[in-house]
Amino acid sequence: MCGEDASNAMPVIFGKSSGPEFLQEVYTAVTYHNKSPDFYEEVKIKLPAKLTVNHHLLFTFYHISCQQKQGASVETLLGYSWLPILLNERLQTGSYCLPVALEKLPPNYSMHSAEKVPLQNPPIKWAEGHKGVFNIEVQAVSSVHTQDNHLEKFFTLCHSLESQVTFPIRVLDQKISEMALEHELKLSIICLNSSRLEPLVLFLHLVLDKLFQLSVQPMVIAGQTANFSQFAFESVVAIANSLHNSKDLSKDQHGRNCLLASYVHYVFRLPEVQRDVPKSGAPTALLDPRSYHTYGRTSAAAVSSKLLQARVMSSSNPDLAGTHSAADEEVKNIMSSKIADRNCSRMSYYCSGSSDAPSSPAAPRPASKKHFHEELALQMVVSTGMVRETVFKYAWFFFELLVKSMAQHVHNMDKRDSFRRTRFSDRFMDDITTIVNVVTSEIAALLVKPQKENEQAEKMNISLAFFLYDLLSLMDRGFVFNLIRHYCSQLSAKLSNLPTLISMRLEFLRILCSHEHYLNLNLFFMNADTAPTSPCPSISSQNSSSCSSFQDQKIASMFDLTSEYRQQHFLTGLLFTELAAALDAEGEGISKVQRKAVSAIHSLLSSHDLDPRCVKPEVKVKIAALYLPLVGIILDALPQLCDFTVADTRRYRTSGSDEEQEGAGAINQNVALAIAGNNFNLKTSGIVLSSLPYKQYNMLNADTTRNLMICFLWIMKNADQSLIRKWIADLPSTQLNRILDLLFICVLCFEYKGKQSSDKVSTQVLQKSRDVKARLEEALLRGEGARGEMMRRRAPGNDRFPGLNENLRWKKEQTHWRQANEKLDKTKAELDQEALISGNLATEAHLIILDMQENIIQASSALDCKDSLLGGVLRVLVNSLNCDQSTTYLTHCFATLRALIAKFGDLLFEEEVEQCFDLCHQVLHHCSSSMDVTRSQACATLYLLMRFSFGATSNFARVKMQVTMSLASLVGRAPDFNEEHLRRSLRTILAYSEEDTAMQMTPFPTQVEELLCNLNSILYDTVKMREFQEDPEMLMDLMYRIAKSYQASPDLRLTWLQNMAEKHTKKKCYTEAAMCLVHAAALVAEYLSMLEDHSYLPVGSVSFQNISSNVLEESVVSEDTLSPDEDGVCAGQYFTESGLVGLLEQAAELFSTGGLYETVNEVYKLVIPILEAHREFRKLTLTHSKLQRAFDSIVNKDHKRMFGTYFRVGFFGSKFGDLDEQEFVYKEPAITKLPEISHRLEAFYGQCFGAEFVEVIKDSTPVDKTKLDPNKAYIQITFVEPYFDEYEMKDRVTYFEKNFNLRRFMYTTPFTLEGRPRGELHEQYRRNTVLTTMHAFPYIKTRISVIQKEEFVLTPIEVAIEDMKKKTLQLAVAINQEPPDAKMLQMVLQGSVGATVNQGPLEVAQVFLAEIPADPKLYRHHNKLRLCFKEFIMRCGEAVEKNKRLITADQREYQQELKKNYNKLKENLRPMIERKIPELYKPIFRVESQKRDSFHRSSFRKCETQLSQGS
């Protein structure tokens, strides 16, 4: 109600949805039969904008009759209560307990509160004696009423200064006189930060506006000049601190309070100074602006001089004359982006500035205007203690205020057309210099503190960078550049941690370089008159543009970061300096800094490329010229670039899993190189940087390298090509080789990876199998010694600096499987788009690389070093062919290759043998492409290669050998190889030779035809290999046959042996893979012995006999063997001493993996003499350490090793073709059971012929083929054991010796004469079958054919003798085992003397020893069995005694039982054991004692004499 009459009720109560919007009154619900009811209603009231003391809430209480009497009213009035809205001009909020008046309220009741109503006449009748009986809670939501004492006081006092008031004024419960006004206002300013956060936030904009107004408002209070500037500034600082520290208020990603950010951006305007406010008789007045000062300049200068000893003035000269340009668009942009008009009734905006006079007579200064930005900068300079710390902690806010106030100042004072140097006073520029230097010092101080302070330093650093970024648009740019220079030098002087220093400066420069006029700021144009117009360039910028132009510089220096460059292109020079420092630095955390530096350059170039102002080619040429020194920096950083040959393990694995590709013969190229030692891609998979000094470099990761390469290629693409050619022509050969090395890395860096498959659930399923392969790969690639060195030759990083290569495989953020998982969320369209962009980037990058190579070729034509350069160019070209490429690139690449062959063919064929080798391989690979365009280009290139090689040497035997070996390697390794496409290509080449009229009179067409016939035969073998891809044994047989057919061609045989090693390694047959490499090494040794006669080298394959007797098949004895001196023969790198050592060391690694540690020793016996001869002591150290590990493994794992299980497999049936009636011995992994191999073979051949046509023969009896079904395929599988003669057992002592070099195997077949397999003891015969294989196990295959079979039939008594020998041997082993194994001993003993098996040995004795046989031929068998039982019972006794010593107390009864059984067995056997056959002990001839009295010879008599004397 706004009055006490009923008509004064105001319709301000919000109604319910079913009624009017506003009501004058509202009723609560009734509570039945409750004398103390609770009213839970919530009433919402809209307060009038203008409240008076008469506004109040009136409550009326009624009693409701539920049982209405006739004539009586339902409602009975009980009483009234009220609550004034205002009390002391403040809203009344909170909880109240009001008394209830039982009678009508007196006049003017609303002027007082219900609790403090003065005495009335007649008195008011109250319920319960004026006690509070009605509880109510009032909450206010208001943007007008502060509801906070501190804010209320502050706003009231500010109002008293702005409006005409009469003193004393009332503030809350306090009266303030005019004399106390200044003190109270200062106190209220100080106490602002003590106000509650919620009202402070609600009135934040108004509070800040008032404080900023007070900081510049001139005034006189009670005749005295009042200075509120410092108090207002400190209050702003405290408020900013409170808002930032509040957890309830939101912050942006940079930790900035959103309220303050929005205030600066949208609300803040320069404070408006009120000049003429009428005061009626009041002595308080506003000061004349001309005579007002807020803080003494003298004291300000004193404070600032303490903070900064040497103050740096702007280098720009304001007195220089110059022309005015158009209005400053940058200022407009800042104004439009940072100021948004908001019409709000509670906010006032001020736009005019104030002025001040000289502050002290002692230091007179000319009068100058005083502005908010100057006052703010001054307060930031003179602040001390906690205020200063807080200012710098939240520097972003004050910097933003400064920048916006400066922009508004320039706009309001219409200074956009004036020189930048004259826009701001010198004192203000001094203050800015001081602020920047102090903030820089603070950043440096924080960075030397513990790690937790670094985040604050980074925020301050970013704030400072953005501040200077904005100043570039407002102030003289020469002055700002000076600030930047001082920042960098000051930070360098105070920080010793190089990574931190570079990181901070990089972040700082990254922000500055994002300026929209960055290019103009760096004077990227060649002449000043060609420059794009800067809206308002500084005088210093105009003067500096007259520096020496590009025409005055030497071309070579344009690619170096010279001091002249840094002076002319300031920001870019700083950025390049930081990049060079980051790349050259070492220490912890430097990788992150390097990544940040490269990313900054990459982002800049990206912004230039997307900038519509830089679309024209002539502009891009100038921009590229600005970045030319980056090329020199990248070339210097060449050793640090990521080694993509190791990081990218894709080679032939771009699509699908390893399991999917395995069937197609896919293998990682690096693994192929490491495992198979393939001599293709020796150069194309590694970089040799012999010109670089050895240094410990910090390697860049893949992403950083890729970004750096993108920058390099962008510059090369957009730079003036004539300039590039001149630069290349002036470069020394070492630098040109560096450029080629860089292009080599670029090729690998931008290889097209293929589209990610979107239909796969996850690639993590494949990770386990990949990890197994990864471990092997890592072990091989990281291998030490000669083999490891040879592997590292193929990897750029390893070859340059051994051991420094960063293995990226385990960095999960960079592996392909993680990237694939992250892409699973993308749609197919997005994946297609990514693939398209990736393909376009790859093509663009490789075309730029191709252009660079052609520039190098053109420039090198006049150089003396063109041989090495051509080799480098060819290496890059071949490597690009080894990557996935688009048809567009391949067309241009093949054209370049053909031009290279035509122009420099002689040099290539004579000097670059291995490069031509790789070239043949890659061109032949593309001849099998599914793309017609690519095939035709590859065919033309291959034919031209043949033709020019023939023309150069009149005999292209070397090229023929290279093409043949390339095909041999291709068919065994490449997954995308297609023989049908290759056949078409071969026919095309044949057509070329037939239609080449110029060559028809030469033997060239005939030789081409012979070569193509040979290639077709290889393809035929390949087709067969594809047929047996799922049959590993048959596939290895076929590869073995192909390798055998190349016995006279060492290079090809070596290639196929390596292919076999790869296949074995895939199947985890490490021993067989090692044997393949041993054979390859023996082959190399044979040919080395022809070329060199050194005592330390193996004498051919004979020296390898201790490793394997099979190696002798590598002996060079045939008449048709090629001589290693012939052209093209033994041209690979393996036919060298280092190649031999490399093969042997890799074989040793595989033997070690396979558990054949003794063989490792034999291998190193061949390696060590070579290393000793070359004084390779470091490698000798590693070799002996590996030998030590091998011997330790023998000692620790001797009986725990398992070498393999052997089975005899026979094939019967015409369905098997060549395998019909063939028998093999298969070597299977250890602990392979008969059902396992049986199931595997039955399942495989069931798939080939149909499960109903395949049958496994269960027994091992000889197969009668006449009884077999001719329409079925039969497989007979029998477990076999190694078989040794007794004389062999003397040499085969260890477990290893009994499982190595095995050629004879035995299996047994029990039978009876009646035809049954089993019978009684006296009927049981046994057939022992001994098989002899063609080669000894282990071999280069896992199955070897049987070449001889011997059978021995044992009679029943011989079977018994063999069984008893086995039992006795088991007992002897159990007794002598160390340490003793009680469980094993008891198990064997129980089987020998236990009650349950007691009849076993006893029954054998009763059957065969009870009576002396009638047939004299059985006497010796009888006696032999008797002796076996004698030894058996003796061993049983020893075992019983040994068990007695091993048993525990609870096993005594068990021991007694064993002893009892033993004694019983011994008693039963005694008469049979002691019974001898007299005939066996009769002398064969009678000795005549009288003729040979040997017992009376002197020697015996002498012995007797000695014995008697001794006794």
Side-chain angles (χ1 to χ4, degrees), residues 635 727-743 856 859-860 863 865 869:
L635 287 175
W727 171 61
I728 291 173
D730 293 340
L731 283 178
S733 59
T734 53
Q735 283 293 91
L736 285 172
N737 282 322
R738 279 195 174 194
I739 294 176
L740 288 171
D741 291 335
L742 191 63
L743 295 178
I856 291 173
S860 67
L863 298 177
C865 60
L869 288 179

Side-chain angles (χ1 to χ4, degrees), residues 1 3-6 25 27 39 56-63 75-84 97-107 109-110 112-115 117 124-136:
M1 298 181 70
E4 298 178 358
D5 191 75
E25 58 184 12
Y27 292 89
F39 305 104
H56 65 281
L57 301 176
L58 179 62
F59 305 97
T60 307
F61 301 92
Y62 295 95
H63 172 72
E75 299 176 356
T76 304
L77 181 65
L78 296 182
Y80 304 92
S81 189
W82 72 97
L83 180 70
C97 187
L98 303 178
V100 176
L102 300 178
E103 297 176 349
K104 186 179 178 181
L105 298 177
Y109 69 90
S110 61
H112 312 279
S113 63
E115 301 95 324
V117 178
I124 303 173
K125 186 179 180 181
W126 299 94
E128 297 189 15
H130 206 177
K131 288 182 180 178
V133 293
F134 175 53
N135 293 299
I136 185 173

